[in-house]
Amino acid sequence: ELPVPKEVAAARLAVLERLAQGERVLVVAPVQAAVERLAPRAGFASLIRTVAVGQRVRPEELTAHLAHVGYERVDIVEANGQFSVRGGLIDVFPLTAAQPVRIDFFDDEVDSIRWFDVETQRSSAAVQRVTLGPAWEAPPPPDPLAAAEAIGEAGYRQVNRLRRQGLEGPAAELAQRLDAHVDALKTGRRFPGVEQYKAFFYPQLETLLDYVGDGPVVVDEPARTREQLNLFHTDYANSHAGLLERGRVLPEAGGLFIDWDDLLRAVRRRP
């Protein structure tokens, strides 16, 4: 549940955003990143919004969308992943951008879009359009209430398992954490470690290979890569077992990475 550094999250999101939109991108990734199960490409792509000068869009609809895909509403935008509203202005700092943008509305029409400086809050260069991708790698599920209910049921089963093992402390901690997480999901709020619930969010998860589409994939030094992946899976399984016993995660979090055989099958299925 350690938070991913923002610069790492931004770099990963920038790649996923470009791939999800069909852009041809050369991606060099460690095997651990290639085997991680991700939100479906189509679902991720559907949450990317492009806002252009002259476009008609209700400001309240745009702010609702930003909150839905993980942006934090604040009084003054100072960091990536934040947005604010002041009259007819919406300030947004995309996680993948070096600067925030200020979207100026005239009624329901985008009148102008400008970059601005977070220190001085002064607008600078004008642009005709800006792309606003999700602010987190696990975008909200299509049905948050159903996902929250499924997580609650799985959590209830795990709490009972811990109690049967005599682990009352971890069981109580897990129950408390689940209540907070389920409530956050129902109300559309982000929280550290939300990625552990990806298996409950979507009917089927995908990997980086699915985002690449029909582009070529090269596995460098297969024997060494296989060894690294096996070691990673061993470490991850041990870590997951310890977190399970301490009431920190659910069993489903143990399946968030495909294995070597699955990776080879995915590579061989490619054109």
Side-chain angles (χ1 to χ4, degrees):
E1 291 186 348
L2 291 175
V4 177
K6 272 201 170 183
E7 61 273 15
V8 175
R12 287 169 58 104
L13 278 170
V15 172
L16 294 179
E17 193 175 296
R18 293 170 68 184
L19 290 172
Q21 296 179 95
E23 186 175 341
R24 294 289 184 177
V25 182
L26 175 62
V27 181
V28 180
V31 67
Q32 295 91 332
V35 300
E36 183 177 354
R37 297 184 191 272
L38 305 170
R41 174 182 171 177
F44 188 92
S46 71
L47 298 176
I48 300 172
R49 292 283 295 270
T50 297
V51 179
V53 174
Q55 179 180 344
R56 298 197 68 84
V57 56
R58 291 184 297 114
E60 59 270 24
E61 189 274 329
L62 180 58
T63 57
H65 171 78
L66 291 171
H68 180 64
V69 298
Y71 287 82
E72 177 190 10
R73 183 165 182 167
V74 295
D75 292 331
I76 299 175
V77 168
E78 297 177 317
N80 296 81
Q82 297 179 341
F83 78 96
S84 69
V85 182
R86 292 178 293 117
L89 299 176
I90 298 179
D91 290 350
V92 190
F93 203 152
L95 206 66
T96 57
Q99 279 187 303
V101 292
R102 178 161 292 149
I103 305 171
D104 189 358
F105 283 85
F106 180 76
D107 196 17
D108 287 350
E109 182 176 325
V110 177
D111 191 48
S112 69
I113 303 174
R114 291 181 176 274
W115 300 110
F116 72 91
D117 185 276
V118 292
E119 297 294 334
T120 65
Q121 294 291 305
R122 293 173 119 179
S123 300
S124 56
V127 292
Q128 288 300 303
R129 64 186 64 243
V130 63
T131 298
L132 306 173
W136 49 337
E137 283 187 38
D143 189 341
L145 294 181
E149 183 177 340
I151 292 168
E153 292 174 355
Y156 177 77
R157 292 193 295 269
Q158 180 60 16
V159 167
N160 284 337
R161 287 191 197 102
L162 292 171
R163 285 176 175 157
R164 287 196 298 269
Q165 295 170 17
L167 301 172
E168 289 294 336
E173 180 176 342
L174 179 59
Q176 182 178 9
R177 289 165 57 78
L178 282 169
D179 285 344
H181 290 175
V182 167
D183 181 66
L185 286 169
K186 288 180 176 178
T187 55
R189 289 179 285 116
R190 283 192 302 173
F191 53 89
V194 66
E195 293 82 6
Q196 67 181 289
Y197 298 120
K198 284 186 286 189
F200 297 95
F201 286 3
Y202 322 104
Q204 185 173 351
L205 295 173
E206 297 183 353
T207 68
L208 185 60
L209 273 67
D210 296 294
Y211 276 70
V212 171
D214 60 0
V217 174
V218 177
V219 180
D220 189 35
E221 298 188 47
R224 185 179 177 186
T225 300
R226 179 177 185 174
E227 181 182 358
Q228 288 180 337
L229 182 56
N230 289 339
L231 286 173
F232 168 76
H233 271 290
T234 298
D235 290 343
Y236 184 78
N238 291 336
S239 174
H240 179 252
L243 292 171
L244 265 180
E245 190 172 308
R246 298 203 303 273
R248 305 289 294 182
V249 297
L250 297 182
E252 288 77 4
L256 293 181
F257 298 87
I258 64 175
D259 61 21
W260 176 255
D261 290 337
D262 288 334
L263 176 62
L264 282 188
R265 279 192 289 270
V267 171
R268 288 168 179 164
R269 283 198 303 266
R270 309 185 68 74

